[in-house]
């Protein structure tokens, strides 16, 4: 693997050690995931978030310690191991109320077969998603000089971090839809899916696109003019990730009604479309053809996802495109882009520059929220949050708004 990826001679030993050492660490992560699923089923989201935050702080401190002592990439591995240890311990402790050792027994073969059939389709989706995430960096490394991999990865990591914030809501949505299906069947789940998807799309349609308008200026102000290419990559990828982000509720809906094959097919087709678009564009317009091809592939694969979902579930299944507040999105993106230009000119380099260039995006998101919710509704919600944080105990009028 290290030869195939053209690892330099100086990094060869560390690369081999890391590839071997991460295997048992991934096994521990898979084991920890079982306990976290139990906590998710019990709606212990606050506990999971706190554990994740503490583990991240542990990783940062250990990385600074080991790398500062000259351990290089191996030091980052030990920081990862420390993070995983904190997560595993927190997950086991959090599950102690819900587990009884005397009740642990082997499953009957009928349940194992059902689990394997379901999990095999989910695993296909996971492999396809991982492939789509990794293939672009591999293509950049194979087609272009190796330094372009750094530019691409900086932009890709920036965009992925932005998208990962709202993705924290996907697990609670999945649990909610699954419970509704178990209690009320397909009809009740379909009604709830429409409501959740509408709220999800209206909330997030402007988020990634406003982030795309901010990404270039933020990265250049943060890392310097030499990273302009990374800023362009981040902006393009955020546009493409908009479609995948907005279709997440539909993906969880399919899995909750025992149709995981829908997501597997759409991600598998998306994997092929990604390569079909990316390779010709990379040879035609250069390295930027890789993120452009990926964005086009995400758009096309999500159209295919909607088509097969309507064919296999309900021909009247609502598209997330129908819930997009187009005018509000355009206003938020244009306003952010216009404010970014003066902010970029006055922003210093480094972390402060990143924060300064994030301010126009916050303003753009604020205007976007006012446009889709109305000024009065937005003001009342903010006032309600402030009141509750100040000690208020009045329950919300509509429990669905809390979701």
């Amino acid at each position: 693997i290290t030869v195939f990826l053209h690892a330099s001679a100086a990094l060869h030993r560390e690369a081999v050690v890391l590839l071997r050492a991460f295997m048992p660490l991934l096994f521990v992560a898979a084991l920890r995931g079982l306990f976290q699923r139990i906590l998710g089923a019990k709606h212990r989201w606050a506990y999971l978030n706190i554990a994740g935050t503490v583990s991240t702080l542990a990783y940062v401190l250990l990385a600074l310690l080991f790398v500062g002592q000259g351990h290089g990439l191996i030091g980052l591995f030990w920081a990862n191991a420390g993070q995983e240890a904190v997560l595993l311990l927190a997950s086991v402790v959090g599950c102690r109320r819900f587990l009884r050792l005397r009740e642990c027994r082997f499953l009957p073969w009928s349940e194992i077969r059902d689990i394997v059939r379901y999990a095999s389709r989910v695993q296909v989706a996971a492999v396809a998603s991982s492939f789509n995430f990794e293939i672009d960096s591999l293509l950049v490394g194979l087609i272009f000089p190796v330094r372009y991999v750094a530019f691409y990865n900086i932009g890709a990591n920036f965009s992925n971090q932005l998208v990962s914030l709202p993705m924290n809501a996907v697990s609670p949505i999945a649990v909610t839809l699954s419970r509704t299906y178990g209690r009320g069947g397909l009809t009740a789940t379909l009604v709830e899916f429409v409501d959740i998807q509408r709220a999800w799309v209206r909330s997030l349609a402007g988020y990634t696109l406003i982030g795309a308008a901010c990404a270039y200026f933020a990265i250049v102000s943060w890392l310097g003019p030499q990273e302009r290419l990374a800023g362009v990559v981040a902006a393009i990828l955020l546009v493409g990730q908009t479609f995948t982000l907005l279709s997440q509720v539909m993906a969880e809906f399919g899995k909750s009604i025992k149709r995981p094959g829908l997501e597997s097919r759409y991600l598998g087709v998306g994997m092929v479309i990604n390569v079909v678009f990316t390779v010709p564009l990379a040879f035609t317009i250069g390295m930027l053809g890789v993120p452009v091809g990926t964005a086009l592939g995400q758009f096309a694969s999500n159209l295919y996802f909607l088509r097969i979902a309507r064919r296999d579930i309900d021909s009247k299944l609502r598209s997330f495109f129908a819930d997009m507040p187009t005018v509000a999105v355009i206003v938020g993106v244009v306003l952010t882009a216009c404010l970014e230009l003066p902010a970029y000119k006055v922003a210093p380099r480094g972390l402060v520059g990143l924060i300064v260039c994030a301010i126009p995006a916050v303003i753009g998101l604020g205007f976007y929220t006012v446009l889709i919710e109305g000024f009065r509704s937005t003001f009342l919600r903010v006032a309600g949050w402030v009141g509750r944080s100040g000690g208020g105990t009045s329950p919300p009028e509509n429990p669905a708004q809390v979701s």
Side-chain angles (χ1 to χ4, degrees):
I1 292 175
T2 56
V3 172
F4 176 75
L5 294 177
H6 306 294
S8 65
L11 296 176
H12 177 78
R13 185 188 67 83
E14 287 185 328
V16 172
V17 171
L18 287 177
L19 284 170
R20 290 173 176 163
F22 267 111
M23 291 302 115
L25 194 62
L26 288 173
F27 173 77
V28 174
L31 183 65
R32 177 255 303 168
L34 299 175
F35 296 104
Q36 289 184 320
R37 291 294 184 184
I38 295 173
L39 292 173
K42 297 295 183 180
H43 285 262
R44 297 291 302 279
W45 308 114
Y47 184 87
L48 287 171
N49 288 335
I50 292 171
T53 302
V54 172
S55 71
T56 302
L57 292 175
Y59 170 79
V60 172
L61 294 175
L62 290 173
L64 291 174
L65 174 64
F66 288 122
V67 176
Q69 292 179 349
H71 294 290
L73 293 176
I74 305 300
L76 290 181
F77 165 77
W78 286 114
N80 271 286
Q83 180 183 25
E84 201 57 53
V86 172
L87 282 173
L88 178 62
L89 178 63
S91 301
V92 172
V93 171
C95 284
R96 70 188 187 282
R97 294 165 47 199
F98 313 119
L99 297 177
R100 300 288 184 275
L101 287 178
R102 65 177 178 271
E103 296 178 3
C104 291
R105 59 180 62 91
F106 290 110
L107 290 170
W109 281 110
S110 58
E111 289 190 26
I112 292 176
R113 285 194 295 269
D114 288 341
I115 290 173
V116 170
R117 279 197 297 267
Y118 185 92
S120 62
R121 295 184 177 93
V122 175
Q123 189 64 28
V124 170
V127 171
S129 179
S130 177
F131 180 86
N132 285 329
F133 180 78
E134 299 291 347
I135 188 62
D136 290 344
S137 295
L138 292 174
L139 288 175
V140 171
L142 290 173
I143 298 174
F144 303 102
V146 71
R147 67 178 184 275
Y148 283 102
V149 177
F151 294 134
Y152 187 88
N153 284 341
I154 290 171
N157 287 332
F158 188 91
S159 63
N160 289 330
Q161 291 301 320
L162 281 181
V163 173
S164 69
L165 292 176
M167 288 295 288
N168 289 320
V170 171
S171 291
I173 289 173
V175 172
T176 300
L177 290 172
S178 298
R179 286 187 170 186
T180 302
Y181 181 73
R183 293 169 178 170
L186 177 59
T187 302
T189 312
L190 187 58
V191 172
E192 188 170 54
F193 157 73
V194 171
D195 291 339
I196 293 177
Q197 178 170 265
R198 184 175 186 276
W200 175 265
V201 172
R202 286 179 62 82
S203 299
L204 296 177
Y207 172 75
T208 47
L209 294 175
I210 289 173
C214 165
Y216 171 82
F217 302 100
I219 289 179
V220 175
S221 295
W222 177 28
L223 300 176
Q226 72 277 7
E227 305 293 344
R228 293 183 189 276
L229 196 57
V232 178
V233 168
I236 296 172
L237 288 178
L238 280 168
V239 173
Q241 286 174 312
T242 300
F243 307 107
T244 300
L245 178 66
L246 297 185
S247 68
Q248 283 301 305
V249 176
M250 186 178 294
E252 297 305 324
F253 171 67
K255 286 187 284 190
S256 70
I257 63 172
K258 300 183 180 180
R259 301 286 184 83
L262 293 174
E263 186 184 26
S264 301
R265 273 185 281 165
Y266 121 77
L267 288 173
V269 170
M271 181 173 64
V272 176
I273 295 175
N274 184 9
V275 175
V276 169
F277 277 122
T278 298
V279 174
L281 286 172
F283 285 107
T284 303
I285 63 176
M287 198 275 279
L288 289 179
V290 176
V292 170
T294 298
L296 290 174
Q298 288 173 320
F299 174 72
S301 62
N302 278 282
L303 288 179
Y304 172 74
F305 186 25
L306 177 62
R307 179 177 178 274
I308 61 175
R310 283 177 170 172
R311 185 187 64 196
D312 293 358
I313 300 175
D314 190 329
S315 60
K316 297 180 181 179
L317 197 65
R318 187 174 179 83
S319 166
F320 64 81
F321 289 107
D323 292 318
M324 291 186 67
T326 307
V327 175
V329 171
I330 293 174
V331 171
V333 171
V334 171
L335 177 63
T336 301
C338 292
L339 293 176
E340 284 291 353
L341 292 172
Y344 172 71
K345 291 182 179 180
V346 301
R349 295 291 175 262
L351 182 60
V352 176
L354 175 65
I355 296 173
V356 169
C357 286
I359 294 174
V362 174
I363 296 173
L365 284 171
F367 270 85
Y368 172 78
T369 303
V370 170
L371 287 174
I372 63 174
E373 293 290 335
F375 178 80
R376 182 176 180 275
S377 176
T378 304
F379 175 78
L380 290 176
R381 280 195 183 184
V382 173
W385 291 336
V386 173
R388 286 195 293 274
S389 65
T393 57
S394 299
E397 294 182 3
N398 182 6
Q401 291 179 354
V402 177
S403 300

